[in-house]
Amino acid sequence: ATRIPDAHYIHEARYHGARVVAIAPDYNQSAIHADLWLSVRPGTDAALALAACQVVVEENLFDAAYIREQTDLPFLVRTDTRRYLRESDVVAGGRDDRFGIWDEAANALAWAPGSPNDWSPTLELGVLRPALEYSGEVPLAAGGTAPVRSVLSLLRERLADLTPEAASGITGIAPDSIRRFARQFAKARSAMILSSYGACKNYHSDLFQRGILLLLALTG
């Protein structure tokens, strides 16, 4: 209703098989034309987004090839400092802006392409195969070792309690509806989320937007 020039393309996409989900507290002029309406309580969008992410991660519906190459989810985090593992941690004189990954292909520590000051013109991994779920220890330049885990393994743990059942009590949306939305979103050949400028003008709205971005990143 508020983006008339865009509405034409959304309806045209539906004629070609696209599904439209309206996420809004009111059954409005846009929701009546959607395939699924999620009547979310105002201000609880972050809980809905994270619950959808929980379904995607728990059911392994994420796009593994995409997140290996395009996200920081394979990056290693030192669990003693809660910071990314950096080259300077393990190599004397190493850089503080090269980030570690565990290469499954070589079964060894490697450095993520596309880190700052890595002037490679592409993010393509080549022969690298970053481990998505990794936990282990790495030797430190100063001596000793440090425990590390991949970001995705930490995310899976963080999302464990943010189930659709938990989000239902916050958002007012039935757990089955959240799962239906998450599964369809993950299995779509392509997807987009249209969110108005108003979404970034509320207190803590950055968390709402991060939840949306996480869902998009997980599903490629």
Side-chain angles (χ1 to χ4, degrees), residues 78-81 83-92 109 111 137-148:
R78 290 183 55 172
T79 57
D80 56 345
T81 63
R83 299 180 77 229
Y84 286 137
L85 178 72
R86 300 156 194 270
E87 187 184 42
S88 57
D89 291 328
V90 299
V91 178
L109 182 64
W111 308 108
E137 292 192 350
V138 295
L140 298 177
T145 61
V148 294

Side-chain angles (χ1 to χ4, degrees), residues 49-69:
L50 290 175
C53 290
Q54 193 274 342
V55 173
V56 170
V57 171
E58 177 67 21
E59 299 183 5
N60 293 318
L61 301 176
F62 49 79
D63 186 335
Y66 179 88
I67 63 179
R68 277 194 175 95
E69 182 184 82

Side-chain angles (χ1 to χ4, degrees), residues 1 7 9 11 14-15 33 39 47 73 94 98 106 108 136-137 146 151 184 203:
Y9 298 102
H11 292 306
R14 290 188 74 206
Y15 276 113
H33 297 293
S39 180
L73 292 171
R98 289 189 80 192
E137 292 192 350
V151 174
Q184 290 181 350
Y203 191 50

Side-chain angles (χ1 to χ4, degrees), residues 57-135:
V57 171
E58 177 67 21
E59 299 183 5
N60 293 318
L61 301 176
F62 49 79
D63 186 335
Y66 179 88
I67 63 179
R68 277 194 175 95
E69 182 184 82
Q70 295 289 326
T71 76
D72 67 350
L73 292 171
F75 283 21
L76 299 178
V77 174
R78 290 183 55 172
T79 57
D80 56 345
T81 63
R82 306 298 287 184
R83 299 180 77 229
Y84 286 137
L85 178 72
R86 300 156 194 270
E87 187 184 42
S88 57
D89 291 328
V90 299
V91 178
R95 303 195 64 92
D96 195 42
D97 52 9
R98 289 189 80 192
F99 304 110
I101 56 174
W102 188 262
D103 181 13
E104 290 179 333
N107 195 31
L109 182 64
W111 308 108
S115 294
N117 292 302
D118 176 357
W119 300 111
S120 171
T122 178
L123 292 177
E124 291 181 1
L125 296 171
V127 297
L128 286 174
R129 183 177 171 83
L132 295 180
E133 309 259 5
Y134 182 79
S135 177

Side-chain angles (χ1 to χ4, degrees), residues 43 45 195-209:
D45 304 77
S195 181
S196 72
Y197 287 114
C200 59
K201 294 181 179 179
N202 300 288
Y203 191 50
H204 288 323
S205 59
D206 61 317
L207 301 179
F208 158 35
Q209 292 178 309

Side-chain angles (χ1 to χ4, degrees), residues 5-23:
D6 299 331
H8 160 76
Y9 298 102
I10 293 173
H11 292 306
E12 186 173 306
R14 290 188 74 206
Y15 276 113
H16 290 85
R19 296 181 59 80
V20 176
V21 178
I23 300 174

